[in-house]
Amino acid sequence: MSDRRGRIDQFESVFKSADKPIFQLREIEFARILVVTDHSREESGRIVEQARAFLKLIDRPFGNDGRTPEWGLLTKEDFSSVDDCRHRIDEHQPDLVVAWRNLFDPVGASVYSLGVFVDELTQYLRPPVLLLPDPKLNVPSAEIETVMVVTNHLTGEDRLVNKGVRFTPPNGRLILSHLEDETIFDRYMNVIERIPEINSEVAREAIRRQLLKEPCDYISSCIEAIQSAGLSFEVDSMVEFGHGAADFKRIAEANSVDLMIFFTKDESQIAMHGMAYSLAVEIRNISLLML
Amino acid sequence: MNSLANTLTLGLDESLQTHAVATVATWQTAVLGALLALMILALALEEKIHARKSIITGVFAVVALLLGTWFGCLPFDRLFIHLGGVDAHLPVYIPAIEWEVIAIIFGSSIFVDVTSQSGIFSWIAIRMTKLSKGDPLFLLIFYGLLTVLFSAVLNNVAAMIIIGSLTGVSLKRLGRERLLLGFLLIEGLLTNLGGLLTLISSVPNIIVGNTVGFSFVQFFLYASPYVLISTIVTIMLGAFIFKIAPLRGNEDKSQAAELVAGFDENDGIESVRFFWGSAVAFVFFIGALAGQSFIPLFDELGMGFVALLFATMMLTVFRSEVARFYSSLDWDLLFFFMGLFVVINVMEHGQVLHVLGGWISALVGEGGRMGSASLLGASAVASSVTDNIPLSAMLAKILAARSGETPDALWWSVVFGSNLGGNLTPIGSASTVVAVTIIHKYQISIGFMKFVRIAFPFAVIQIVLAIAYVLLLY
């Protein structure tokens, strides 16, 4: 009987492994873009222009009627508190919010946080928040060339990849990255090594292989869909074991990434989830699109 | 070769091959009969007593041999081999075993096991899933046909495991878990129909076919029309009872198609060479079995040799992985057969089969229409509560020992009855046990009586169709 259960389980594993999420390419347009800055209205002109230049790819006519995105601006004169800021943003109903790290941060460019405004905005707002580097660092690229989608669970995340596709220019480069946390893996393997019924070596190899196979399969379906749609940018896959934010930072810097895209919201908590926060805090000179 | 034949010859007393002639007291026959009944009961309660089939028949074989020897009904003095001019005794339990049957099961099990590890059966099953575009009715039809086909070329249990596992995964993917019970039950019932399709599809077929001397093609030509009709009826009835309807709206259709499109049939294929090699070998295997009675040498060496030949070829090709294939072989089944054949042989010498044969003769008379119908029905009922292998092995011995020629209708009644009876109860066949195991895996409650209540109309229709079919052709 246990043999039969074992064989049922074996075939179920075969079929579950064969059941792969397929990437569905979706058109994404940003009809309303809202820039939020802590500068005065007069001072904001230059940085708004910088942002528009950076977002040239999405700042173009769309839809059947050829509408162009509507740009809005909230400056320090428009709100006085976080709560006030949230209400004002809600009134605009934006599809994308553009802001800077350490927005309205009284201590200036804090090294260990994003500042209370950005923390609140990224978690409260439904639309994605594009966080540009501190203008004083004078680092934003003039235009986006290389986009990197960042996650430790890429498989089936169409929303994330579609955003990456939307921000990657023709002849640009889209990096789909998936980093399996080596520390967590080692912790589980330490437990498995203490269970006599499980062959540790077989388990280590099989689990490792399967963990990397799933995102690789999904990326293959992304590449297929992107090529079928006639999009002309390059798509690269970076699937490996690593140690969270530090390795993502290394990959991003090694590939001269202009924009990193990742999820920040976690359904089970109101605060930004761990890896997203580390990334957002540590990567200061690359623009971040936070979903 | 000739010199070897001159020096190594096997001599068996005629009585061992046909009927026992030793005088056996009635009480001794009764004791052996009781032992046989106990073994059948133990096999029926296999799961309850936590003993493997091979252990059960092994224990009973040992006890039967001891009793048979004590009662003096075993033909020790008539078993010898001439080996280089020296007479050597052959152990009494060696010729008791039907080695041709063992060869067929051993050879085809290894061959099928090696080929199935190429991923070919999963590939076919996933292709059919995608072809259905996720439509529940098409899925039921395709899975139903595949169950029959896989049961015919693999074995019922393997077919149920493959199709049942895929059913669970695909229906879950489609968000149609409520259909799981219907799908799995229908597939379970179809495995026993598929088991009727060819001579090697189930053990009763092998035993009866080997006893009568049916060729692979003869068997297929006779059984296939019934299997086709009964499969269609079972699927249609299943769709009606379990309300498995086709998708109507375009949106539902495209959504379902999108969901099953994610299945990658190539995922389980580790080696393309192995995959295609297995596919080609399988075609040749079926071809060789079909042509065995016409192909020179094969016609003399028999079907068991063909199975062993293909097993040897596959093991030679994949010689580095032989240990893996040996370890996955169903040794329990093989030792079960050996023990069973020994028990039946002792029963034959102990006149138990002679007594049972008298009862069967009373049931079937001269083998007319009523006789065939009664035998088919009785075999079905008997195999619904106990293993159909000892049943068919005993009936084959009893029918073969009948005076005069046994009508073909009786042989087919044994084949149909012992295969289809498994559909009457959840313990009637190994494949329905697997179906129930998968059903339980998905937390669907199905007890003995619920299974009988649902499966009864299907099983009765299949058995009635089989009786009508046998009577129509004979």
Side-chain angles (χ1 to χ4, degrees):
Chain A
M1 199 62 187
S2 58
D3 285 358
R4 282 184 203 143
R5 282 183 196 277
R7 288 197 67 197
I8 292 166
D9 194 62
Q10 185 191 340
F11 272 98
E12 266 187 0
S13 302
V14 168
F15 293 124
K16 279 178 183 165
S17 171
D19 180 14
K20 300 169 182 174
I22 290 186
F23 171 66
Q24 304 288 336
L25 188 65
R26 304 258 186 251
E27 290 255 340
I28 298 172
E29 293 301 346
F30 299 97
R32 290 176 177 199
I33 302 168
L34 181 65
V35 178
V36 182
T37 163
D38 50 9
H39 290 77
S40 67
R41 196 158 282 274
E42 292 92 57
E43 292 166 344
S44 303
R46 184 180 61 83
I47 55 169
V48 170
E49 281 314 307
Q50 261 186 1
R52 287 190 73 153
F54 186 67
L55 296 173
K56 196 172 74 176
L57 190 68
I58 60 168
D59 192 13
R60 63 178 186 195
F62 64 90
N64 295 334
D65 52 358
R67 281 179 300 152
T68 51
E70 189 182 302
W71 287 76
L73 177 65
L74 283 184
T75 60
K76 67 179 183 184
E77 293 93 346
D78 297 315
F79 52 89
S80 54
S81 65
V82 173
D83 205 34
D84 199 12
C85 178
R86 290 200 308 220
H87 286 303
R88 294 302 307 274
I89 292 173
D90 281 344
E91 283 167 12
H92 276 81
Q93 294 184 312
D95 300 309
L96 174 69
V97 174
V98 180
W100 284 261
R101 63 172 57 243
N102 302 113
L103 189 73
F104 277 106
D105 197 334
V107 297
S110 165
V111 177
Y112 300 106
S113 80
L114 294 170
V116 67
F117 269 74
V118 175
D119 273 356
E120 291 275 332
L121 294 186
T122 54
Q123 293 312 291
Y124 169 75
L125 294 175
R126 298 287 304 158
V129 175
L130 175 67
L131 206 61
L132 298 171
D134 189 330
K136 295 185 197 80
L137 291 174
N138 204 23
V139 287
S141 316
E143 288 176 23
I144 302 170
E145 279 183 16
T146 302
V147 176
M148 180 171 159
V149 168
V150 172
T151 179
N152 49 18
H153 186 270
L154 185 66
T155 310
E157 296 294 359
D158 288 11
R159 199 161 69 92
L160 196 61
V161 178
N162 272 313
K163 291 285 190 306
V165 169
R166 184 65 190 90
F167 281 92
T168 310
N171 304 317
R173 184 174 175 220
L174 173 64
I175 299 170
L176 299 177
S177 68
H178 171 111
L179 216 62
E180 276 299 333
D181 196 312
E182 187 102 55
T183 313
I184 294 174
F185 178 75
D186 285 341
R187 192 154 60 83
Y188 281 105
M189 282 315 302
N190 278 336
V191 174
I192 286 172
E193 281 165 7
R194 288 170 167 78
I195 302 172
E197 291 85 357
I198 302 176
N199 182 326
S200 314
E201 267 318 295
V202 172
R204 177 178 286 276
E205 277 313 304
I207 296 172
R208 210 178 169 91
R209 193 172 53 241
Q210 188 64 27
L211 281 172
L212 298 184
K213 179 180 172 290
E214 286 176 10
C216 285
D217 286 341
Y218 180 68
I219 289 174
S220 299
S221 88
C222 295
I223 293 172
E224 204 178 310
I226 288 165
Q227 285 175 346
S228 304
L231 299 171
S232 59
F233 52 79
E234 184 187 332
V235 184
D236 285 329
S237 157
M238 300 266 176
V239 178
E240 55 191 70
F241 273 81
H243 294 97
D247 280 312
F248 278 123
K249 191 176 175 188
R250 173 182 54 78
I251 296 170
E253 285 173 356
N255 290 279
S256 307
V257 168
D258 303 306
L259 175 68
M260 292 174 82
I261 305 177
F262 51 90
F263 286 124
T264 61
K265 295 179 181 71
D266 186 336
E267 279 177 10
S268 62
Q269 61 185 47
I270 54 168
M272 192 185 296
H273 74 71
M275 194 197 68
Y277 199 76
S278 314
L279 276 173
V281 170
E282 288 193 27
I283 299 176
R284 308 184 66 80
N285 53 356
I286 297 175
S287 298
L288 310 173
L289 183 67
M290 302 163 84
L291 310 182
Chain B
M1 280 296 281
N2 282 341
S3 63
L4 183 68
N6 288 335
T7 53
L8 180 68
T9 55
L10 173 67
L12 292 176
D13 189 281
E14 247 182 38
S15 66
L16 186 73
Q17 296 169 50
T18 54
H19 310 291
V21 289
T23 311
V24 184
T26 311
W27 70 270
Q28 292 172 333
T29 304
V31 169
L32 290 173
L35 187 73
L36 179 67
L38 261 178
M39 185 189 77
I40 292 170
L41 184 68
L43 286 170
L45 300 174
E46 181 199 355
E47 307 282 348
K48 299 275 179 211
I49 59 178
H50 303 292
R52 308 296 292 259
K53 275 186 169 63
S54 56
I55 303 297
I56 295 171
T57 55
V59 167
F60 280 92
V62 168
V63 176
L65 281 170
L66 288 171
L67 284 176
T69 309
W70 180 33
F71 296 160
C73 58
L74 297 183
F76 288 100
D77 55 337
R78 298 189 291 272
L79 291 160
F80 60 90
I81 52 171
H82 294 298
L83 193 63
V86 179
D87 280 357
H89 277 282
L90 197 66
V92 71
Y93 43 83
I94 293 297
I97 296 167
E98 303 258 4
W99 290 103
E100 175 73 355
V101 173
I102 300 288
I104 294 173
I105 295 167
F106 180 77
S108 55
S109 294
I110 287 202
F111 176 77
V112 164
D113 195 51
V114 176
T115 47
S116 67
Q117 291 194 28
S118 69
I120 185 166
F121 297 108
S122 313
W123 186 88
I124 295 170
I126 293 174
R127 288 288 294 178
M128 293 299 262
T129 306
K130 290 170 87 168
L131 201 65
S132 74
K133 295 189 186 298
D135 185 292
L137 186 63
F138 282 119
L139 211 55
L140 178 70
I141 294 169
F142 290 159
Y143 283 175
L145 295 176
L146 273 187
T147 306
V148 172
L149 182 72
F150 285 3
S151 298
V153 295
L154 300 169
N155 62 61
N156 297 7
V157 169
M160 189 61 227
I161 287 174
I162 296 173
I163 302 297
S165 326
L166 179 59
T167 301
V169 174
S170 60
L171 287 184
K172 221 171 163 187
R173 182 91 173 107
L174 289 163
R176 297 191 180 276
E177 288 94 333
R178 68 164 191 87
L179 298 179
L180 264 170
L181 176 65
F183 267 75
L184 292 169
L185 212 84
I186 294 166
E187 287 159 10
L189 299 175
L190 287 172
T191 53
N192 290 320
L193 278 180
L196 275 167
L197 196 59
T198 78
L199 187 60
I200 59 155
S201 303
S202 75
V203 178
N205 304 2
I206 298 174
I207 291 170
V208 173
N210 191 49
T211 309
V212 188
F214 286 138
S215 75
F216 189 87
V217 175
Q218 252 180 320
F219 194 101
F220 176 77
L221 289 178
Y222 188 91
S224 53
Y226 167 76
V227 172
L228 181 68
I229 294 164
S230 208
T231 300
I232 293 168
V233 171
T234 303
I235 292 174
M236 281 171 61
L237 185 64
F240 174 74
I241 289 178
F242 295 106
K243 297 182 176 58
I244 300 168
L247 294 173
R248 299 276 177 215
N250 284 337
E251 198 181 322
D252 286 349
K253 284 180 184 174
S254 64
Q255 196 186 6
E258 204 172 280
L259 287 171
V260 292
F263 280 105
D264 180 3
E265 61 272 33
N266 297 317
D267 188 76
I269 300 171
E270 285 175 22
S271 156
V272 176
R273 186 178 140 261
F274 184 17
F275 178 84
W276 286 111
S278 298
V280 172
F282 216 95
V283 171
F284 276 104
F285 178 60
I286 299 294
L289 287 176
Q292 175 266 325
S293 51
F294 322 112
I295 300 170
L297 303 181
F298 284 7
D299 57 348
E300 288 185 75
L301 287 162
M303 209 170 278
F305 172 79
V306 175
L308 288 174
L309 171 74
F310 276 81
T312 309
M313 277 165 46
M314 292 306 273
L315 289 177
T316 309
V317 173
F318 302 101
R319 53 195 171 281
S320 60
E321 291 174 79
V322 164
R324 181 159 68 105
F325 298 130
Y326 282 164
S327 66
S328 59
L329 194 70
D330 194 346
W331 293 105
D332 179 54
L333 187 72
L334 287 169
F335 286 116
F336 160 66
F337 279 117
M338 292 184 194
L340 178 68
F341 284 134
V342 170
V343 171
I344 288 176
N345 190 258
V346 174
M347 296 303 148
E348 189 181 14
H349 290 293
Q351 300 294 301
V352 176
L353 297 194
H354 180 73
V355 174
L356 290 175
W359 297 350
I360 301 280
S361 289
L363 179 75
V364 302
E366 291 305 308
R369 291 184 164 219
M370 276 310 292
S372 303
S374 306
L375 183 61
L376 199 155
S379 309
V381 171
S383 65
S384 71
V385 287
T386 186
D387 204 304
N388 63 2
I389 295 168
L391 179 83
S392 54
M394 267 193 320
L395 287 175
K397 281 269 185 196
I398 291 166
L399 290 182
R402 271 166 62 98
S403 55
E405 197 180 332
T406 303
D408 275 0
L410 288 183
W411 292 114
W412 284 106
S413 295
V414 174
V415 170
F416 281 113
S418 55
N419 276 289
L420 296 175
N423 283 345
L424 281 164
T425 66
I427 56 159
S429 71
S431 52
T432 46
V433 172
V434 173
V436 171
T437 306
I438 301 175
I439 290 170
H440 285 159
K441 204 165 186 270
Y442 286 94
Q443 270 87 45
I444 300 167
S445 141
I446 183 160
F448 188 94
M449 286 317 293
K450 187 178 176 184
F451 182 97
V452 172
R453 203 173 58 242
I454 300 172
F456 194 73
F458 291 92
V460 167
I461 287 174
Q462 289 170 350
I463 292 166
V464 168
L465 277 175
I467 292 173
Y469 184 71
V470 171
L471 297 186
L472 193 73
L473 290 195
Y474 294 100

